[in-house]
């Protein structure tokens, strides 16, 4: 299945939610009146794009409708895809083409460990030398889970016993990476509640240790569960304020009807989305493509 096919499949629940609201709006006719524009804005908000972004998109589409003399609601919906695509923050470079250290952060249950393992496997299969670092030393079985992924990906892992200082684990992981000539170091950190100042300070310490010790670029990547919806935007804001994020990975899109949240976060924080999780399989962690995402989120509306 191609990239668009996987995005479309993974975004099915989000697309159904969007189309249900739009079909109600279109049933009254394709006229571009205030009721249509208000309904479109409400539909975007209910798809978890957020009120500020929804308002911005509708204002843009109103201008396009006047400038391009768009005849009806169906032509506006085709332009909606362009408007949404333009609001994703593009990545300035490919994070997976040069040696680097990646710190995966996020709350418990967001999918950090699984995401870290899947990326390790993909990089290893492409001929890269990968080292995993298990800095989640608090959650029960977190180390064992990452060790299982290390075996599956056939890569080395640097870990210590449960309860060890995570910053020390990161330091040792970097030393081992330099000794063995690893191209990529992927570090799994402990889940941190964004509402806990103490826990976020501990994570800041981990990130600072890595950045001071490293001699290659260090990227802090937030792994976010799409099912959290607008709460995910609050999480992202807090993690970004504390750590200065470099990118996002959105997981569990296939289990969510809140696919618009990916756009809301990327736009709000000016952060690129690197990958999307649209299923349980290794191949279901996809490189992000804005157009395929928007096509999967909205689908196609045809005049009857």
């Amino acid at each position: 299945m191609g990239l668009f096919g996987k995005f479309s499949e993974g975004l099915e629940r989000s697309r159904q939610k969007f189309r249900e609201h739009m079909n109600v709006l279109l049933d009254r006719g394709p006229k571009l009146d205030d009721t249509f524009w208000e309904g479109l804005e409400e539909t975007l908000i209910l798809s978890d794009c957020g009120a500020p972004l929804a308002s911005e998109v509708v204002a843009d589409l109103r201008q396009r409708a006047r400038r391009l003399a768009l005849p009806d609601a169906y032509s506006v919906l085709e332009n909606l895809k362009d408007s949404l695509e333009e609001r994703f923050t593009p990545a300035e470079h490919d994070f997976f083409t040069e040696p680097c250290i990646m710190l995966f952060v996020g709350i418990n249950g967001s999918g950090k460990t699984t995401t870290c393992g899947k990326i390790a496997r993909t990089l290893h299969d492409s001929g890269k030398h990968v080292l995993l670092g298990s800095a989640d030393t608090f959650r029960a079985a977190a180390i064992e889970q990452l060790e299982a992924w290390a075996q599956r990906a056939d890569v080395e892992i640097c870990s210590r016993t449960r309860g060890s200082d995570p910053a020390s684990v990161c330091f040792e992981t970097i030393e081992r990476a330099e000794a063995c000539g690893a191209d990529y170091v992927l570090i799994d950190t402990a889940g941190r509640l964004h509402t806990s100042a103490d826990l976020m300070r501990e994570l800041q310490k981990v990130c600072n240790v890595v950045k001071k010790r490293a001699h290659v670029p260090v990227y802090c990547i937030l792994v976010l569960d799409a099912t959290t919806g607008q709460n995910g935007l609050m999480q992202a804001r807090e993690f970004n304020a504390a750590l200065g994020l470099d990118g996002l990975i959105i997981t569990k899109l296939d289990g969510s009807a809140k696919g618009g949240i990916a756009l809301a976060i990327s736009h709000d924080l000016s952060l690129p989305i690197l990958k999307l999780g649209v299923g349980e399989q290794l191949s279901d962690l996809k490189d992000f493509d804005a157009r395929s995402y928007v096509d999967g989120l909205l689908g196609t509306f045809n005049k009857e």
Side-chain angles (χ1 to χ4, degrees):
M1 184 179 293
L3 183 62
F4 170 71
K6 289 303 300 184
F7 276 8
S8 180
E9 184 181 273
L11 286 164
E12 182 177 359
R13 293 181 64 182
S14 296
R15 183 170 59 256
Q16 287 178 347
K17 180 180 179 181
F18 179 85
R19 291 175 69 87
E20 285 173 3
H21 292 291
M22 282 308 306
N23 285 334
V24 171
L25 188 59
L26 291 172
D27 281 346
R28 55 174 291 279
K31 186 179 179 181
L32 297 179
D33 54 16
D34 287 341
T35 300
F36 169 77
W37 294 115
E38 291 169 3
L40 177 58
E41 184 171 346
E42 181 182 358
T43 297
L44 291 170
I45 293 172
L46 291 173
S47 297
D48 278 270
C49 289
L53 180 58
S55 179
E56 179 182 321
V57 169
V58 169
D60 172 50
L61 289 173
R62 279 180 176 267
Q63 291 180 354
R64 293 188 190 217
R66 289 192 295 268
R67 186 176 70 252
L68 301 175
L70 299 179
D72 54 29
Y74 293 98
S75 56
V76 168
L77 289 175
E78 283 304 309
N79 277 265
L80 173 60
K81 292 184 178 182
D82 294 332
S83 186
L84 293 181
E85 181 183 359
E86 291 166 4
R87 279 161 177 76
F88 280 104
T89 300
E92 295 181 356
H93 62 279
D94 189 339
F95 286 59
F96 301 96
T97 59
E98 63 177 9
C100 66
I101 297 171
M102 289 189 174
L103 283 163
F104 295 90
V105 302
I107 67 169
N108 280 326
S110 62
K112 293 186 305 300
T113 304
T114 298
T115 297
C116 189
K118 287 182 177 180
I119 292 175
R121 171 69 181 273
T122 300
L123 288 171
H124 173 76
D125 288 349
S126 67
K128 305 299 183 182
H129 187 172
V130 182
L131 177 67
L132 291 176
S134 183
D136 184 354
T137 58
F138 297 104
R139 181 171 61 89
I143 297 173
E144 291 79 3
Q145 184 183 1
L146 194 63
E147 286 176 342
W149 269 108
Q151 293 178 358
R152 196 178 309 173
D154 193 25
V155 301
E156 185 179 349
I157 183 172
C158 187
S159 63
R160 293 173 64 181
T161 58
R162 185 181 175 193
S164 299
D165 176 41
S168 297
V169 175
C170 291
F171 191 91
E172 291 180 8
T173 300
I174 297 172
E175 288 197 326
R176 177 57 190 160
E178 292 177 350
C180 68
D183 300 310
Y184 291 88
V185 179
L186 310 180
I187 298 177
D188 180 29
T189 67
R192 288 289 185 260
L193 285 174
H194 58 293
T195 54
S196 171
D198 289 340
L199 292 177
M200 292 302 285
R201 277 194 293 270
E202 288 182 9
L203 190 55
Q204 284 177 323
K205 174 187 173 183
V206 170
C207 293
N208 289 336
V209 166
V210 172
K211 290 179 178 180
K212 288 179 180 178
R213 177 63 183 80
H215 297 297
V216 296
V218 176
Y219 301 120
C220 192
I221 309 299
L222 176 66
V223 181
L224 190 72
D225 180 348
T227 63
T228 58
Q230 285 296 308
N231 187 48
L233 177 56
M234 298 303 298
Q235 293 175 29
R237 285 173 177 166
E238 294 298 326
F239 274 95
N240 191 48
L243 306 174
L245 298 173
D246 296 292
L248 304 165
I249 293 176
I250 311 294
T251 63
K252 307 179 186 179
L253 270 171
D254 56 312
S256 172
K258 303 176 180 181
I261 192 60
L263 173 56
I265 296 172
S266 176
H267 181 72
D268 185 270
L269 299 179
S270 297
L271 287 171
I273 298 175
L274 308 184
K275 292 182 180 292
L276 289 179
V278 293
E280 297 295 327
Q281 302 301 314
L282 175 66
S283 60
D284 291 335
L285 185 64
K286 296 293 186 181
D287 292 336
F288 179 73
D289 177 80
R291 189 63 189 195
S292 294
Y293 177 89
V294 171
D295 285 340
L297 180 64
L298 302 186
T300 302
F301 288 86
N302 298 315
K303 297 181 182 180
E304 295 182 355

